[in-house]
Amino acid sequence: MVIAAVYFVIATSACVSLARSLDRQMEGPRLRAAWAGRTAEARCTGVRTDETQDADGIPVTVSHATLEFRTEAGRTVAFEERRRQLDVAEGDLVTVYYAEDAPEGATAQAPAFGTRRARELVAGLGCAFALVTAAVLAGVL
């Protein structure tokens, strides 16, 4: 029983740590702040194209749009969309999401359940799996 309890504590800690790491890697805090803030119409002022190769050596073209918008306070902000490849041309209008206190962290990525709740899903499912395996361990040992 003690071994199962120790396992449960360690596995739960690992799940929570993994969830936090995944959330930071997916830029969860910045995106949630932007989605909870304001929206604005942004104009594409340019598109930068990078050509790289994937792991198999196949050429891959990735384009990043530079978007410019005006906040409700009247401040003009320009940023390069780094989370998502947009299919826009120079001069096109795009809806952007930004936090009032940090408009530089804006994104054109629309709110998505998976990105918004990834941390909670990973931690919750991991902890549930840890509980089930701890119960099986307690029954076996």
Side-chain angles (χ1 to χ4, degrees), residues 11-83:
T12 301
S13 299
C15 292
V16 170
S17 178
L18 174 67
R20 285 182 181 159
S21 176
L22 177 67
D23 189 48
R24 281 191 299 271
Q25 186 177 11
M26 292 176 63
E27 298 184 41
R30 180 184 72 85
L31 291 174
R32 280 191 301 277
W35 291 334
R38 307 268 185 208
T39 60
E41 286 297 313
R43 182 171 303 280
C44 178
T45 58
V47 178
R48 179 177 59 86
T49 303
D50 294 331
E51 294 192 19
T52 60
Q53 291 183 350
D54 66 5
D56 296 328
I58 299 171
V60 176
T61 303
V62 179
S63 60
H64 302 280
T66 301
L67 304 171
E68 185 175 283
F69 68 97
R70 185 175 304 275
T71 65
E72 286 186 0
R75 181 175 162 211
T76 300
V77 177
F79 73 99
E80 183 175 274
E81 178 57 67
R82 51 186 192 238
R83 287 289 304 162

Side-chain angles (χ1 to χ4, degrees), residues 79-99:
F79 73 99
E80 183 175 274
E81 178 57 67
R82 51 186 192 238
R83 287 289 304 162
R84 157 176 182 231
Q85 186 170 341
L86 296 174
D87 187 23
V88 295
E90 200 166 327
D92 288 353
L93 292 176
V94 177
T95 300
V96 294
Y97 305 85
Y98 69 96

